[in-house]
Amino acid sequence: GPWSSPDVIARIVAEKLSPQLGQPVIIENRVGGGGNTGSGAVAKSAGDGYTFLISTNGPLVYNTVLYKKLGYDPFTELRPVILAGGQSNVCAVRSDSGINSLSDLIQAMKNNPGKFNFSSTGVGSLSQLGVELLKVKTETFAVHIPYVSSPLAIMAILQGDVQFACVPAVAVLPQVKAGKMRALAVSTAKRSQFLPDVPTMKEAGLSEIESVAWMAIMAPATTSNEIVLRMNQEINAVLALPDVKEKLFLQYMEPIGGTELDLKKFMAQELQVMTPVIKRTGLSIEWWAEVTVIEVQFNTLNVSQEEVDIQFSSLEQHAGIYFGVDAGIEGLHPLQATLISKPALAFHLYSNGI
């Protein structure tokens, strides 16, 4: 989604890539399904050299383990182009929460069972899996509330819809600097250069939780070797530019780069490492439902906008959000059904029986 990690790095790269290619590079956000919607769309696209994907850990690796019916295979229907960049996930709470450390958070969850929610950037994302593993390791419970982007996941904390999140630094650190949120731990093996005083998960007592939120550029599997090699070379050149490095640094990201083979090996390694972690959490997504969503004003019941930001938490506070299962309106109250005359946005909602 807009201002998510993939969106930010894509726009920084596109600005320099466009003149090198001699044509515009257009960024199109395809939100929904924890990144599966956009990734699946590119996987089914023609490999003509005009369509590429920038996506993350979940849609490109983890979801192959989580989902019984993913709808696309990132290892066979997409081909690697380049590992663009990475950043730490930061576990954070509101600054007025009274929680000052990761151990405080764990103790608060133990003292208040059933009263903690956490937001993520989508089902199967690193921001969910890290917390699920934390729950297993500490024998705690919190309800997972997925959002379509990290900014929305952070907004949920600020609004009080959820109590914490472990999401990419690009969304967390501006709020930490503004004094609205408190960082508790980072997910990487070493402390972040952007948060030198914040401990790693290992330092906080959770040695098994160590990960990087990465962004990779992929192409449809039928894209020619010549096109993939050209794009790899051009993007590597962009990532090496000092001003691009500076812009990424300001967004709390680090460029990575490398060859197509480097990314292929990296994804295979991620799958090998994370498969037992995912299985240990017990997460398995058995089914999916396609839903159509619109937003209406609570008081007037008029459609408020043609495009909406989808939020899954605290639906009692958003009484104007209605769902039509299987792209229809079966089972809805007649009043609700009349409101679904001009759907704003269709996407896939994946559920684990919640």
Side-chain angles (χ1 to χ4, degrees), residues 17-262:
L17 185 62
S18 181
Q20 290 182 199
L21 297 176
Q23 59 185 23
V25 177
I26 299 170
I27 309 301
E28 179 184 351
N29 281 289
R30 292 281 189 94
V31 301
N36 293 344
T37 302
S39 301
V42 175
K44 305 300 182 184
S45 297
D48 55 10
Y50 290 94
T51 303
F52 293 85
L53 167 73
I54 182 163
S55 194
T56 60
N57 314 45
L60 295 181
V61 177
Y62 306 160
N63 291 355
T64 62
V65 183
L66 277 167
Y67 287 79
K68 295 293 180 67
K69 186 179 179 182
L70 185 57
Y72 68 96
D73 187 339
F75 288 94
T76 61
E77 294 183 279
L78 293 168
R79 61 178 298 179
V81 177
I82 190 170
L83 185 57
Q87 62 183 319
S88 62
N89 269 4
V90 180
C91 291
V93 295
R94 261 178 33 171
S95 56
D96 61 358
S97 66
I99 295 172
N100 298 304
S101 65
L102 193 62
S103 60
D104 284 353
L105 175 62
I106 293 167
Q107 192 60 52
M109 286 193 287
K110 289 183 176 181
N111 293 342
N112 302 277
K115 294 185 179 180
F116 274 75
N117 300 333
F118 73 95
S119 55
S120 79
T121 57
V123 175
S125 65
L126 181 62
S127 58
Q128 179 196 6
L129 295 178
V131 177
E132 297 292 354
L133 186 57
L134 181 150
K135 288 160 56 179
V136 171
K137 289 280 291 179
T138 60
E139 298 182 345
T140 53
F141 175 78
V143 176
H144 174 222
I145 310 294
Y147 288 79
V148 298
S149 67
S150 51
L152 288 179
I154 291 300
M155 183 60 66
I157 298 178
L158 297 175
Q159 293 177 163
D161 294 333
V162 304
Q163 286 65 52
F164 71 101
C166 298
V167 295
V170 64
V172 179
L173 294 194
Q175 303 300 334
V176 172
K177 289 185 174 181
K180 296 179 180 180
M181 294 184 65
R182 179 177 295 112
L184 305 180
V186 296
S187 66
T188 44
K190 298 180 180 179
R191 292 196 179 197
S192 169
Q193 59 181 317
F194 307 112
L195 290 168
D197 297 328
V198 176
T200 65
M201 287 285 197
K202 183 176 182 179
E203 289 174 324
L206 295 167
S207 59
E208 290 187 28
I209 304 178
E210 181 182 302
S211 55
V212 175
W214 50 267
M215 291 78 68
I217 295 175
M218 310 286 287
T222 54
T223 307
S224 70
N225 292 333
E226 181 182 5
I227 290 173
V228 170
L229 179 60
R230 167 80 189 279
M231 288 297 288
N232 175 273
Q233 292 173 338
E234 297 290 1
I235 296 171
N236 264 314
V238 167
L239 294 174
L241 294 172
D243 58 336
V244 169
K245 289 182 177 181
E246 182 179 1
K247 287 180 179 179
L248 291 174
F249 183 87
L250 291 174
Q251 298 298 325
Y252 315 108
M253 300 178 185
E254 296 184 13
I256 298 178
T259 67
E260 174 190 0
L261 183 59
D262 289 336

Side-chain angles (χ1 to χ4, degrees), residues 273-343:
V273 169
M274 290 303 294
T275 294
V277 172
I278 293 169
K279 290 183 176 180
R280 182 175 179 180
T281 66
L283 290 174
S284 178
I285 301 169
E286 303 286 348
W287 61 275
W288 62 271
E290 185 171 318
V291 300
T292 302
V293 180
I294 64 171
E295 182 179 357
V296 299
Q297 298 288 353
F298 178 74
N299 294 326
T300 63
L301 296 181
N302 292 322
V303 175
S304 61
Q305 59 188 56
E306 291 189 1
E307 293 185 356
V308 298
D309 292 326
I310 306 304
Q311 297 192 34
F312 293 87
S313 67
S314 301
L315 291 181
E316 71 276 3
Q317 297 181 20
H318 303 278
I321 298 180
Y322 299 100
F323 296 82
V325 180
D326 292 329
I329 55 176
E330 295 86 348
L332 291 179
H333 185 279
L335 176 61
Q336 298 174 4
T338 61
L339 299 173
I340 306 186
S341 57
K342 188 177 181 182

